Amino acid sequence: MAKIFGIGWAKTGTTTLGDCFRILGYDHQSQDWDLVKDVGKGDLTRVMALVQRKDTFEDWPWIILYRELDESFPGSRFVLTRRDTDKWISSYKNMLARRGKASEEQNEIRRILYGLPFPDVTERQLIERYERHNADVLEYFRDRPGDLLVVDWEAGDGWIELCDFLGR
């Protein structure tokens, strides 16, 4: 069975996508913070071992590994969840505010994932990173539209688009 990776940035409906995968009966893996430090060291051994065992994935660290996952698991499918940039940054800032002051470990994880200088990151840097990720994904899959589904739940995308893409 081909693997399916949700590669939308955090706060774009990744949890919703994970719920959809579970409802559809996939053996699903959501974020796994324990793997982030491995990614930071360039060691994908545990990441790839976990991918071998599961069907679907979303959130961290899968988001930033789509190229490596595509190469290692030919025939995989990818779902890019997106939302309006202003709504995204508002949601992201609200999440950070709710969580309070980040520990040094959390900041290190964010530095690895975002490639940004947490905790001293600016809103502009976050927005640029979010938009760059989306543009990079679209460019990467430019000649392979059948391998990438782009969804925006707030714009009305839903079960029809997802199930058509997955053949379910």
Side-chain angles (χ1 to χ4, degrees), residues 113-129:
L113 296 173
Y114 288 72
L116 295 173
F118 281 90
D120 302 316
V121 67
T122 67
E123 181 175 315
R124 183 79 234 141
Q125 288 171 311
L126 288 167
I127 289 170
E128 287 172 359
R129 182 65 180 102

Side-chain angles (χ1 to χ4, degrees), residues 137-152:
V137 168
L138 293 174
E139 175 61 24
Y140 182 81
F141 289 100
R142 173 184 41 146
D143 298 325
R144 298 168 45 203
D147 293 340
L148 176 69
L149 172 68
V150 179
V151 296
D152 181 336

Side-chain angles (χ1 to χ4, degrees), residues 29-143:
Q29 176 66 46
S30 189
Q31 69 184 10
D32 191 328
W33 294 109
D34 291 338
L35 298 175
V36 174
K37 289 183 181 173
D38 291 0
V39 172
K41 295 175 191 167
D43 181 2
L44 299 183
T45 306
R46 292 190 318 142
V47 168
M48 297 304 179
L50 182 56
V51 173
Q52 288 284 353
R53 295 191 309 268
K54 300 283 189 163
D55 302 325
T56 60
F57 308 81
E58 48 77 23
D59 218 309
W60 303 113
W62 325 110
I63 297 166
I64 59 171
L65 298 175
Y66 63 91
R67 289 177 183 92
E68 295 86 347
L69 295 166
D70 185 39
E71 184 178 312
S72 296
F73 298 91
S76 292
R77 313 291 295 285
F78 296 83
V79 179
L80 176 65
T81 49
R82 294 194 310 187
R83 71 191 301 191
D84 172 80
T85 299
D86 290 336
K87 290 180 181 179
W88 173 79
I89 193 64
S90 177
S91 179
Y92 188 79
K93 287 172 25 183
N94 287 341
M95 177 197 70
L96 291 179
R98 279 192 314 274
R99 292 188 176 171
K101 183 170 171 43
S103 68
E104 179 50 35
E105 181 179 21
Q106 289 169 318
N107 284 325
E108 176 60 22
I109 286 170
R110 289 180 179 139
R111 285 190 289 270
I112 292 167
L113 296 173
Y114 288 72
L116 295 173
F118 281 90
D120 302 316
V121 67
T122 67
E123 181 175 315
R124 183 79 234 141
Q125 288 171 311
L126 288 167
I127 289 170
E128 287 172 359
R129 182 65 180 102
Y130 170 70
E131 291 177 343
R132 185 175 74 240
H133 173 76
N134 290 338
D136 289 349
V137 168
L138 293 174
E139 175 61 24
Y140 182 81
F141 289 100
R142 173 184 41 146
D143 298 325

Side-chain angles (χ1 to χ4, degrees), residues 12-14 16-17 20 81-82 151-159 162:
T12 62
T14 56
T16 297
L17 180 63
C20 292
T81 49
R82 294 194 310 187
V151 296
D152 181 336
W153 307 123
E154 293 175 329
D157 294 331
W159 284 112
L162 183 61

